[in-house]
Amino acid sequence: MAGESIRVTPRLAIPLSEVELRFSRSSGPGGQHAQRTETRVEAVFDVEASQTLGPEQKRRVLAKTGPVVRAIAQDERSQWRNRELALERLAEALREALRVERPRRPTKPPPAAGERRLEEKRRRGQTKRLRRPPG
């Protein structure tokens, strides 16, 4: 990620000083390289300790993700690339937690839809009546 912060939204950037990066060995195959290098990256963001987020933002993130937001990357062989991936995933998790759900406004079906439904029922009933034996 460019600079010394993670861009979460156009108006919000989290400084890297508030994100703890932990490095460890990746799981899975990889031979000598995977056994010797710590390429797995875990980005940890403490919501309650953050000085960047406002009280309303903190409340929203806490409600959706909990007190700690975590992102892990071990996809690439490079620690630098995994670091970038973990920070991108952390930003995406925060973006999703900060998103405000628009309230649903219940709508009524238009009167024409009800008329179409009743007309279709009449037609279907007529078809079934015509199938009956005379009598």
Side-chain angles (χ1 to χ4, degrees), residues 64-134:
K64 289 189 181 177
T65 63
V68 176
V69 182
R70 221 178 230 102
I72 298 169
Q74 59 180 359
D75 309 8
E76 305 287 334
R77 280 177 59 112
S78 157
Q79 185 189 78
W80 181 253
R81 181 67 187 127
N82 280 335
R83 181 179 179 272
E84 286 180 338
L85 284 171
L87 291 175
E88 285 172 22
R89 290 173 186 168
L90 183 70
E92 184 56 39
L94 286 170
R95 203 172 293 126
E96 186 62 33
L98 287 168
R99 193 164 52 86
V100 180
E101 292 288 328
R102 285 176 40 199
R104 181 191 175 278
R105 291 195 185 91
T107 57
K108 262 173 49 176
E115 291 170 20
R116 280 194 304 270
R117 187 180 125 267
L118 292 174
E119 182 55 38
E120 179 56 37
K121 284 173 70 105
R122 276 188 216 100
R123 241 185 261 123
R124 190 84 183 126
Q126 180 66 27
T127 305
K128 290 188 172 198
R129 268 195 302 281
L130 291 171
R131 288 183 190 157
R132 290 183 191 159

Side-chain angles (χ1 to χ4, degrees), residues 2 5 10 13 23 32-33 40 44 46 52 59 70 79 101 103 123 127 134:
S5 62
F23 302 97
Q32 192 171 13
H33 176 78
R40 179 181 184 269
V44 181
D46 186 357
T52 307
R59 189 190 60 72
R70 221 178 230 102
Q79 185 189 78
E101 292 288 328
R123 241 185 261 123
T127 305

Side-chain angles (χ1 to χ4, degrees), residues 3 12 14 22 25 28 35 37 39 50 95 101 126 131 134:
L12 177 67
I14 304 283
R22 299 177 186 158
R25 293 186 179 151
Q35 293 162 9
T37 56
T39 55
S50 174
R95 203 172 293 126
E101 292 288 328
Q126 180 66 27
R131 288 183 190 157

Side-chain angles (χ1 to χ4, degrees), residues 16-58:
L16 286 180
S17 58
E18 291 189 10
V19 178
E20 180 187 352
L21 293 173
R22 299 177 186 158
F23 302 97
S24 60
R25 293 186 179 151
S26 291
S27 63
Q32 192 171 13
H33 176 78
Q35 293 162 9
R36 290 178 169 267
T37 56
E38 296 190 338
T39 55
R40 179 181 184 269
V41 179
E42 182 179 6
V44 181
F45 177 68
D46 186 357
V47 179
E48 292 167 332
S50 174
Q51 296 174 355
T52 307
L53 296 177
E56 180 60 27
Q57 291 173 322
K58 281 185 184 181

